[in-house]
Amino acid sequence: MTQGNLTGCIVAKGANNYGRWVYTKFAAKNNTVITVLTAYQPCKVSKKQGIMTYHQQVTMLQQDGHQLTPREAFITDITKWLEEGKKKGKLFIVGGDFNEVLEIGSTLLKLCTNKTVLLVDSLASKERENKSSSLRGQAIIDYVFVSPELLPV
């Protein structure tokens, strides 16, 4: 939600068709557009059926003829969406509940290190180590990634 003077900087806003992310594009200095995106990647599940977000997305994806799991579709679609924006010179702030640890072999790491997308964990610091962002676990699964150009010099 955008409030106050920042509302005058909104260029566009929208959402992914499956409700996996929402975004707002803001006009910044020097004709720059910064897109703030909030995302949710469903948890991994072991049950074949249920009413969780994962199962709802399985149904929606199948209805649209997709064969990927919700997690595979999420990372594929968000990567493609971010690549298209980066090719147009857009900058990003991507925050969300990714339900995945940023580590070697993770799909999240593949997203961040994608040569076109290239995002940086803006909260990476010694203070954050060994802190959980999950009520049930010990791992950090919530992140805010940014285009490197947005980091302070």
Side-chain angles (χ1 to χ4, degrees):
M1 181 187 311
T2 306
Q3 298 179 347
N5 293 338
L6 196 53
T7 59
C9 299
I10 295 174
V11 175
K13 55 187 174 179
N16 166 265
N17 291 343
Y18 299 107
R20 297 176 290 186
W21 66 81
V22 296
Y23 64 88
T24 305
K25 296 180 180 186
F26 296 95
K29 292 180 183 178
N30 302 321
N31 293 322
T32 302
V33 174
I34 299 172
T35 301
V36 178
L37 182 146
T38 304
Y40 176 77
Q41 176 175 240
C43 300
K44 291 181 184 179
V45 296
S46 56
K47 295 180 183 179
K48 297 272 184 201
Q49 295 181 348
I51 58 170
M52 296 174 60
T53 302
Y54 183 93
H55 299 109
Q56 293 168 350
Q57 287 192 13
V58 165
T59 301
M60 288 189 293
L61 289 165
Q62 288 174 345
Q63 287 173 348
D64 287 346
H66 297 285
Q67 301 300 313
L68 298 174
T69 69
R71 291 174 65 84
E72 291 168 337
F74 171 83
I75 210 71
T76 299
D77 294 346
I78 199 168
T79 299
K80 181 180 175 186
W81 195 86
L82 291 168
E83 283 177 336
E84 290 170 2
K86 283 290 250 189
K87 288 176 183 174
K88 295 175 184 174
K90 307 293 188 245
L91 300 175
F92 294 97
I93 299 172
V94 180
D97 180 355
F98 294 96
N99 286 305
E100 181 175 9
V101 176
L102 182 62
E103 61 188 1
I104 294 173
S106 69
T107 55
L108 200 49
L109 184 63
K110 291 175 188 169
L111 170 67
C112 293
T113 57
N114 174 293
K115 290 180 182 177
T116 305
V117 176
L118 191 60
L119 296 170
V120 178
D121 180 1
S122 67
L123 302 176
S125 69
K126 291 289 181 190
E127 294 81 33
R128 185 171 165 158
E129 285 183 17
N130 301 318
K131 303 273 192 218
S132 171
S133 61
S134 169
L135 291 174
R136 288 170 275 167
Q138 298 298 315
I140 296 171
I141 58 173
D142 304 323
Y143 297 92
V144 177
F145 300 107
V146 299
S147 298
E149 299 90 335
L150 296 174
L151 292 173
V153 183

